[in-house]
Amino acid sequence: QLQLVESGGGLVQPGGSLRLSCAASGFTLDYHVIGWFRQAPGKEREGVSCISSSTGSTNYADSVKGRFTISRDHAKNTVYLQMNSLKPEDTAVYYCAADAKKTVQAMCVLGRMEDYEYNYWGQGTQVTVSS
């Protein structure tokens, strides 16, 4: 069974940090592009960051550049999202997603993260930034 499982969410004060994990089972992430998306209440889901398996390229939404870092551990078949200097507007449910299409890989390299292109999704983890 192909599965993605996110963890690491929680409640943090503004300026704090969290590290989200996205662990895959049933398939290897080595041949997939991984995207992190988020959805705040009443808002559409938006792309936050992605990492391309073919090139190792990473990309970020403008709103998180310089604060978030995406990385992967091939041995653990896991992708991470390190989130620093968190702001209240970062509050959302965070999802990781994966896809193997070369077109999605290319889109990630170009900084485009379209949720409808991703085939596999995790269940999401809540991140709340509040004092």
Side-chain angles (χ1 to χ4, degrees):
Q1 183 179 1
L2 307 180
Q3 194 173 14
L4 292 172
V5 178
E6 302 98 333
S7 61
L11 173 63
V12 63
Q13 291 187 342
S17 299
L18 284 174
R19 188 179 79 158
L20 305 184
S21 299
C22 173
S25 61
F27 68 108
T28 176
L29 292 178
D30 289 354
Y31 305 106
H32 291 73
V33 58
I34 309 303
W36 282 100
F37 295 82
R38 66 186 181 186
Q39 188 166 23
K43 294 188 176 181
E44 293 187 355
R45 188 161 54 189
E46 63 173 347
V48 174
S49 182
C50 62
I51 183 166
S52 167
S53 62
S54 61
T55 66
S57 298
T58 59
N59 238 313
Y60 301 90
D62 287 342
S63 58
V64 306
K65 279 181 182 177
R67 300 188 297 122
F68 290 12
T69 303
I70 191 170
S71 62
R72 67 196 305 161
D73 184 326
H74 292 276
K76 294 184 177 180
N77 209 27
T78 298
V79 171
Y80 303 99
L81 185 68
Q82 178 67 43
M83 306 186 296
N84 298 329
S85 302
L86 283 162
K87 305 175 181 179
E89 51 262 45
D90 294 318
T91 296
V93 178
Y94 284 70
Y95 300 89
C96 68
D99 200 88
K101 294 191 294 290
K102 291 183 179 179
T103 52
V104 184
Q105 299 265 10
M107 289 170 65
C108 174
V109 173
L110 294 173
R112 288 181 56 192
M113 292 163 274
E114 304 288 356
D115 58 355
Y116 57 84
E117 293 283 359
Y118 286 76
N119 196 26
Y120 304 110
W121 287 83
Q123 82 288 350
T125 186
Q126 176 70 47
V127 171
T128 302
V129 185
S130 175
S131 55

